[in-house]
Amino acid sequence: MDMEMQRFKAEFFKALAHPLRIRILEILAEGDKSVNEIQQLVETEGSTVSQQLTVLRAKNIVTGIKEGNRVIYSLRDPLIIELLDVAKKIFNNHLAETITMLDRLKDADKAE
């Protein structure tokens, strides 16, 4: 059972392993959107956005509901928003550590 969960997690994170998919999720965190709305916000071709949405749908990360002649996308689980927030905090922590290290190196160079 543990190996199944590890595979699930690996596949889940693979689906997130693209900057445009992350951007799409950030946009959907603000509310449901159509492909055209997402396309305008990311300033990318509709076909590219559709390809990335297909990946996210295949991994059950987003859902699409047909309304007339368009599909409205939403996050399947609102916990995705928390996951992205935690990832941002981790990035910021690493960035802060790097800045601190660079400051120390500058100080050491000045002392020499």
Side-chain angles (χ1 to χ4, degrees), residues 49-112:
V49 170
S50 293
Q51 289 170 351
Q52 301 309 324
L53 284 166
T54 297
V55 172
L56 293 169
R57 281 183 79 171
K59 297 300 178 186
N60 291 314
I61 297 172
V62 301
T63 59
I65 298 173
K66 192 150 176 84
E67 287 186 3
N69 61 350
R70 62 188 194 145
V71 178
I72 304 299
Y73 287 92
S74 60
L75 297 176
R76 185 165 187 254
D77 190 328
L79 286 174
I80 292 289
I81 298 166
E82 289 181 41
L83 177 66
L84 295 174
D85 286 342
V86 168
K88 184 177 180 180
K89 288 175 186 174
I90 291 169
F91 173 78
N92 286 338
N93 288 343
H94 286 284
L95 185 59
E97 290 171 11
T98 301
I99 290 169
T100 300
M101 182 182 67
L102 290 172
D103 287 342
R104 286 184 190 146
L105 289 171
K106 283 181 190 175
D107 291 344
D109 285 344
K110 288 178 186 176
E112 290 178 359

